Structure formats: structure tokens, C-alpha cells
Amino acid sequence: MAKNHLLTKEQMKVRYPRQWLLVTDYKLDRSTRLRSGRVVASSRDREEIHRALKKHKGKLCIHFTGSLPRDTGIVF
Amino acid sequence: MSRVTYDPSASSLVVDLLLQSADGTSSLLIPVVLDTGASLTIVATEILVQLGYDPANPRLKRQRIVTGSGVEYAPRLTARSATAIGQKVTNLEVLCHDLPAESGVDGLLGINFLRRFKLTVRFRKGIIELVKERG
């Protein structure tokens, strides 16, 4: 990616479906939810995004654009 | 009022958690599951390391945790501050523990955060409200 354009969360979901993103210059709404930001790394592998964290400093955001498949349950 | 909406058909309640770094100069926003079944807030190892915390410090207390798959021990440390659903808690104890990537999250927002507020989940409408209670 030559230039990291400012994207809304909805645009990130369309451009990077079911991916983990590392986002900078982000903005939040009053309820601490991501509104927009610049995607500086994207991957289907979460570990890759965790590794990319080390190359950046300051205010960062990790965002996953997917959701759990409907046929998958979650129990912790 | 602090409120978020979510897809009512979703199988888990995912919210954003803003964690402040150990030295207060940076922060990281991560996706977490709101989990009223979790005693403590849980955050992935790499996230805490990035924020300048030291989960490998042998002097940290290790918390016994009972999970769906057995008993484990995880380092317990104090995050400078944590903010979710518009509400901020300072000096929040968190457990350092990694959840599977397939979960789509980097941690759990547990009772030690939620108990300081009035939490309302309107499952049919997909609304989560978290407000400070008076008295």
C-alpha cells in the first residue's frame, strides 16, 4: 500500500474483509468505538499483526473486520 | 449515557477496549468480548508487551484461572487505565492470557471492570449500556 488513506470502519470492512488490521491516526466515538483511521498493516493471521505492532509507536488500534461464523460457538 | 449497538444475531458481544501504556505515553485499542462470566479482564501477551508491561516478570503474582478446558496459571498485572463503552477505570488488574485467534478478539472484558457500573444488555435490540450508578 503506497499511501494509507483515512478510512471509516465500514470502509475497512469492505476493503479488508475478515482480516486483522493495525490502524493508526484513529478516531473514536464517545462510546470508545473505532470510527476511522489509517490501515498500516492487514492480515488474515493475527500473529502477523501482533508482530507488526513492534514497528509502530504511539496510539494504535487492532481491529478485526470479520465476525465469528454462525456455525461456531464461543465459550471461554 | 454510554451505549453501543451490535448485531443482535451475533454470537458474542464484542466491544473495543482502550488500554494505556505503562508509562502513560501511548495506548492501544483492541477488540474484546464482554464476558460477565469472566472474573477478571484478560489481555493477550503481545498487547501488554507492546504497552510496556512485563508479563514475564517473575515477581508478578500468577493467578489461578479455571477455563472451559481446565486450570491454568496466568500473570496478573495492573494496567494504568482501561476504557470501554465510554467508561474509564484506572489501575485495573488484568490477566495476561492468549485467546485463540479464531475468537476474533484479543481479550475479555471481565467483572472486575464491569462491576463498577450498571450494565444493561438488550439482547433483542442489540444494545449495551454501561453507566455510573449513584450511591
Side-chain angles (χ1 to χ4, degrees):
Chain A
M1 187 183 297
K3 191 173 180 183
N4 309 115
H5 293 286
L6 195 66
L7 300 175
T8 64
K9 187 164 74 171
E10 291 71 28
Q11 289 171 325
M12 292 177 198
K13 192 171 183 176
V14 172
R15 194 170 293 188
Y16 305 96
R18 290 200 58 76
Q19 290 193 51
W20 289 87
L21 308 179
L22 180 58
V23 179
T24 62
D25 298 332
Y26 64 81
K27 287 195 169 30
L28 304 179
D29 66 14
R30 288 176 59 191
S31 298
T32 331
R33 283 184 305 183
L34 175 67
R35 280 176 55 193
S36 62
R38 296 182 200 281
V39 177
V40 293
S42 63
S43 175
R44 296 199 183 277
D45 180 358
R46 181 179 67 175
E47 305 314 314
E48 216 172 284
I49 295 303
H50 283 179
R51 283 194 292 275
L53 271 175
K54 298 183 178 76
K55 300 175 190 164
H56 298 271
K57 288 187 174 176
K59 287 175 59 184
L60 301 170
C61 163
I62 291 178
H63 181 61
F64 180 60
T65 60
S67 56
L68 208 63
R70 298 214 182 269
D71 62 350
T72 304
I74 186 165
V75 178
F76 293 114
Chain B
M1 177 182 290
S2 294
R3 157 196 289 214
V4 296
T5 56
Y6 68 96
D7 176 1
S9 67
S11 54
S12 59
L13 309 181
V14 178
V15 298
D16 290 326
L17 175 66
L18 181 66
L19 289 166
Q20 198 175 23
S21 64
D23 63 6
T25 62
S26 61
S27 60
L28 187 48
L29 186 76
I30 59 169
V32 296
V33 168
L34 189 157
D35 187 355
T36 59
S39 311
L40 288 160
T41 297
I42 289 175
V43 177
T45 309
E46 289 293 337
I47 302 299
L48 291 169
V49 170
Q50 172 73 16
L51 288 167
Y53 299 101
D54 182 14
N57 185 339
R59 286 180 293 182
L60 285 179
K61 182 182 176 187
R62 295 184 76 81
Q63 176 78 36
R64 185 171 184 264
I65 53 173
V66 181
T67 71
S69 55
V71 176
E72 298 178 41
Y73 289 83
R76 180 173 173 161
L77 52 80
T78 303
R80 194 179 177 101
S81 77
T83 308
I85 320 173
Q87 301 290 1
K88 181 176 182 178
V89 172
T90 54
N91 299 320
L92 181 73
E93 290 209 306
V94 299
L95 287 184
C96 176
H97 184 67
D98 297 329
L99 302 173
E102 290 73 19
S103 64
V105 294
D106 268 321
L108 303 178
L109 188 63
I111 288 176
N112 70 323
F113 180 96
L114 299 168
R115 72 191 322 165
R116 300 155 196 249
F117 308 98
K118 177 184 175 187
L119 170 67
T120 306
V121 182
R122 300 167 73 182
F123 284 99
R124 289 175 65 186
K125 294 195 172 183
I127 297 172
I128 303 168
E129 293 169 349
L130 195 64
V131 297
K132 286 179 182 164
E133 279 190 300
R134 293 180 183 169

